[in-house]
């Protein structure tokens, strides 16, 4: 029998250019939908429509390209040739110029754009310049954008202006010129505070704190935190940034308990499925502060997929502190010095040397009831027994170990261990947990979204409901009496 050969199915060839055109068309339609939401926010004076647009900002930013911006600018700036030429001069001309799409219809097709829509499109151009690393043009364009937005006095423009403040600061940060805009940020903060622009106020406070921390001006940053009031109405992202900056300031000022509390709250406020870079940065500082507090971070923190690679140096650091190994600590500090410097944690990690020594002394005290000072100096790798004696004296004074030093015979005598349940430590631990749960509950209640005030207009009051129920009851009685009368 002859073998039968199965026919090979035809493979459908897809054109790459067609698929890219479809993607660009989808992005353009998405931007048009966002602009409709902005128009709705201006007409109804409801900020939730504007917030809906800004929540999708990161997704829209990733899909931007020259073709999309070229089409949007040509489609919306039909009223002003000068504005269109200005924006197109900052956008790369696409290789294949697409057909112009008419995006404005109706009576306002030739009228001026709403300032909110104009600001939104200009922000798209600005982030495209930043993503293409054309920082010189980005600084120039952000200056023009600030002039354009600060001239307007519209409450519906506040959220877009707040977003523009951040990118304005980012442009100057990327060009290492942050010192030039400090006065501008302070003047805008005064204006935002007077106008009760809560989102702009939060963004500007964070920008100023970032400015100070960039130049390691921790005292000035702390004074700004003390003398300014961060608005409770700010978004979660801005709250997370503010808490992180507070954690950095408090850690530098040796207030480790407050710093750790702020960093944990920043991690809870931050987005859980995105903003991985921010969560990595906060977690690195949180691990360092927790080690400075004398605690050991839980192992599951280092096993998270998004944090595993970034936290490798800090995992080695945690191991050295847990074991009290000074040699391992010195090697980790030397091998990962560049990482610690770029993470702004090197200054704090240097302070951990005392914690490593304390851990080693605690382990020695738990293992030996009596041990010579010379042997302790050898175990710790210290230069002389005299240094070891000073370190042990400080450890005894700080309550690290319960022991006494016999300077005549040169040994350390450990005391009998005290039952921890006879002390106040369990009570303090329970108090800390209960306070954390109560604070988390309060923050959750504050973060809840409630319907607008106009929602209750169409709902009946309690008196109206009782009156309606009484009428229904009377009507039911009348119908029952009529039914009774109908029967002989």
């Amino acid at each position: 029998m002859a073998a039968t050969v199965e026919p090979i199915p035809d493979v459908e060839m897809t054109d790459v250019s067609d698929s890219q055109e479809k993607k660009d068309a989808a992005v353009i339609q998405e931007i048009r939908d966002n602009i409709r939401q902005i128009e709705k926010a201006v007409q109804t004076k409801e900020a939730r429509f504007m917030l809906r647009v800004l929540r999708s900002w990161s997704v829209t930013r990733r899909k931007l390209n020259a073709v999309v911006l070229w089409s949007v600018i040509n489609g919306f700036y039909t009223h002003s040739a000068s504005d269109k030429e200005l924006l197109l001069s900052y956008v790369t001309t696409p290789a294949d110029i697409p057909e112009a799409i008419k995006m404005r219809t109706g009576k306002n097709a030739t009228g001026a754009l709403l300032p909110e829509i104009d600001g939104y499109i200009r922000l798209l151009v600005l982030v495209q310049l930043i993503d293409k690393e054309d920082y010189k043009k980005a600084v120039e364009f952000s200056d023009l954008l600030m002039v354009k937005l600060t001239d307007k006095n519209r409450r519906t423009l506040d959220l877009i202006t707040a977003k523009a403040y951040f990118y304005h600061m980012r442009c100057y940060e990327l060009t290492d010129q942050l010192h030039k805009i400090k006065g501008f940020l302070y003047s805008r903060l005064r204006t935002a505070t007077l106008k009760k622009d809560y989102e702009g106020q939060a963004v500007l406070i964070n920008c100023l704190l970032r400015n100070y921390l960039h130049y390691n001006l921790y005292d000035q940053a702390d004074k700004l935190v003390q003398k300014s009031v961060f608005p409770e109405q700010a978004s979660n992202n801005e709250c997370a940034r503010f808490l992180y900056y507070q954690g950095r300031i408090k850690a530098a000022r040796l207030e480790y308990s407050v710093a750790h509390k702020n960093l944990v709250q920043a991690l809870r406020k931050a987005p859980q499925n995105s903003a991985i870079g921010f969560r990595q940065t906060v977690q690195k500082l949180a691990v360092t502060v927790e080690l400075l507090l004398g605690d050991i971070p839980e192992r599951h923190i280092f096993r998270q997929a998004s944090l595993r690679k970034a936290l490798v140096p800090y995992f080695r650091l945690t191991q050295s502190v847990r074991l009290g190994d000074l040699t391992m600590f010195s090697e980790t500090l030397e091998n990962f010095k560049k990482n610690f410097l770029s993470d702004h944690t090197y200054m704090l990690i240097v302070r951990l040397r005392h914690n490593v020594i304390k851990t080693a002394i605690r382990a020695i005290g738990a293992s030996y009831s009596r041990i010579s000072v010379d042997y302790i100096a050898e175990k710790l790798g210290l230069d002389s027994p005299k240094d070891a004696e000073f370190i042990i004296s400080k450890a005894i004074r700080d309550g690290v170990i319960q022991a006494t030093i016999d300077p005549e015979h040169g040994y350390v005598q450990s005391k009998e261990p005290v039952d921890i349940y006879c002390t106040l430590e369990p009570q303090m631990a329970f108090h800390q947990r209960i306070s954390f749960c109560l604070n988390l509950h309060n923050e959750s209640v504050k973060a809840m979204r409630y319907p607008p005030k106009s929602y209750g207009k169409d709902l009946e009051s309690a008196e109206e409901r009782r009156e309606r129920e009484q009428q229904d009851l009377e009507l039911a009685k009348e119908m029952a009496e009529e039914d009774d009368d109908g029967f002989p």
Side-chain angles (χ1 to χ4, degrees), residues 25-36:
V27 179
I28 293 169
Q29 185 59 41
E30 185 179 332
I31 293 173
R32 292 181 69 180
D33 293 339
N34 288 339
I35 288 174
R36 289 194 192 97

Side-chain angles (χ1 to χ4, degrees), residues 186 189 205 220-230:
Y186 266 115
L189 178 59
I205 289 174
Q220 295 185 30
D222 188 50
K223 288 178 182 177
L224 175 63
V225 171
Q226 291 176 1
K227 296 187 177 182
S228 61
V229 179
F230 192 82

Side-chain angles (χ1 to χ4, degrees), residues 213 216 218 244 247-249 251-252 256 263 280-292 310-311 313-315 317 329 332-333 336-353:
L213 295 177
N216 297 324
Y218 290 96
Y244 165 65
R248 276 187 64 183
I249 294 165
Y256 300 131
L263 293 170
Q280 287 177 352
T281 303
V282 178
Q283 192 66 70
K284 289 173 184 177
L285 185 58
V287 168
T288 307
V289 172
E290 195 169 353
L291 290 173
L292 285 167
L311 292 182
Y314 296 87
F315 180 66
L317 192 69
F329 175 77
T332 305
L333 194 62
F336 298 103
K337 184 176 180 180
K338 290 183 179 178
N339 300 68
F340 297 144
L341 286 171
S342 62
D343 296 336
H344 306 287
T345 55
Y346 183 77
M347 178 182 66
L348 299 173
I349 290 170
V350 170
R351 302 176 189 172
L352 276 174
R353 186 173 185 274

Side-chain angles (χ1 to χ4, degrees), residues 242-487:
F242 180 70
L243 290 167
Y244 165 65
Y245 294 142
Q246 266 195 316
R248 276 187 64 183
I249 294 165
K250 297 301 181 184
R253 296 177 64 83
L254 307 180
E255 299 177 26
Y256 300 131
S257 299
V258 181
H260 186 258
K261 179 182 175 182
N262 289 332
L263 293 170
V264 170
Q265 287 181 343
L267 283 170
R268 291 187 175 276
K269 287 276 188 183
Q272 299 303 309
N273 299 321
S274 58
I276 295 173
F278 177 79
R279 289 175 56 233
Q280 287 177 352
T281 303
V282 178
Q283 192 66 70
K284 289 173 184 177
L285 185 58
V287 168
T288 307
V289 172
E290 195 169 353
L291 290 173
L292 285 167
L293 282 169
D295 300 328
I296 302 299
E298 297 181 6
R299 185 176 288 269
H300 74 85
I301 293 174
F302 303 98
R303 289 179 174 176
Q304 296 179 38
S306 58
L307 303 175
R308 186 184 295 117
K309 187 176 179 181
L311 292 182
V312 168
Y314 296 87
F315 180 66
R316 295 287 305 277
L317 192 69
T318 303
Q319 285 182 319
S320 65
V321 174
R322 184 177 64 85
L323 298 173
D325 192 338
L326 270 176
T327 306
M328 185 179 178
F329 175 77
S330 301
E331 289 177 357
T332 305
L333 194 62
E334 184 179 353
N335 295 337
F336 298 103
K337 184 176 180 180
K338 290 183 179 178
N339 300 68
F340 297 144
L341 286 171
S342 62
D343 296 336
H344 306 287
T345 55
Y346 183 77
M347 178 182 66
L348 299 173
I349 290 170
V350 170
R351 302 176 189 172
L352 276 174
R353 186 173 185 274
H354 300 289
N355 292 58
V356 178
I357 294 173
K358 284 181 181 180
T359 305
I361 291 174
R362 189 183 291 113
I364 292 170
S367 303
Y368 300 92
S369 60
R370 180 189 291 183
I371 185 171
S372 67
V373 177
D374 296 337
Y375 185 64
I376 292 176
E378 183 183 345
K379 289 275 286 184
L380 296 179
L382 300 175
D383 297 333
S384 66
K386 205 70 176 174
D387 294 340
E389 189 173 339
F390 288 140
I391 290 172
I392 295 166
S393 301
K394 188 175 186 306
I396 293 172
R397 189 187 66 183
D398 294 342
V400 176
I401 56 172
Q402 300 293 327
T404 56
I405 301 175
D406 189 342
E408 293 181 2
H409 300 90
Y411 65 82
V412 178
Q413 179 72 43
S414 298
K415 295 180 180 179
E416 290 295 327
V418 181
D419 185 8
I420 194 170
Y421 290 100
C422 297
T423 65
L424 293 175
E425 285 194 25
Q427 181 182 349
M428 297 298 293
F430 277 118
H431 176 70
Q432 185 179 3
R433 294 178 184 180
I434 292 168
S435 300
F436 176 78
C437 293
L438 289 174
N439 290 333
L440 182 62
H441 174 265
N442 293 336
E443 292 293 331
S444 302
V445 171
K446 288 180 183 178
M448 289 176 66
R449 292 182 182 173
Y450 298 96
K453 293 181 179 179
S454 59
Y455 176 76
K457 290 181 179 178
D458 298 331
L459 300 179
E460 60 182 359
S461 62
E463 294 180 1
E464 292 175 347
R465 186 176 66 255
R466 284 196 295 269
E467 185 178 349
R468 178 177 56 80
E469 290 174 353
Q470 185 66 27
Q471 290 176 357
D472 293 342
L473 186 60
E474 292 175 358
L475 181 61
K477 286 181 179 179
E478 291 177 1
M479 292 176 65
E481 289 175 359
E482 290 177 0
D483 291 340
D484 292 341
D485 294 341
F487 288 98

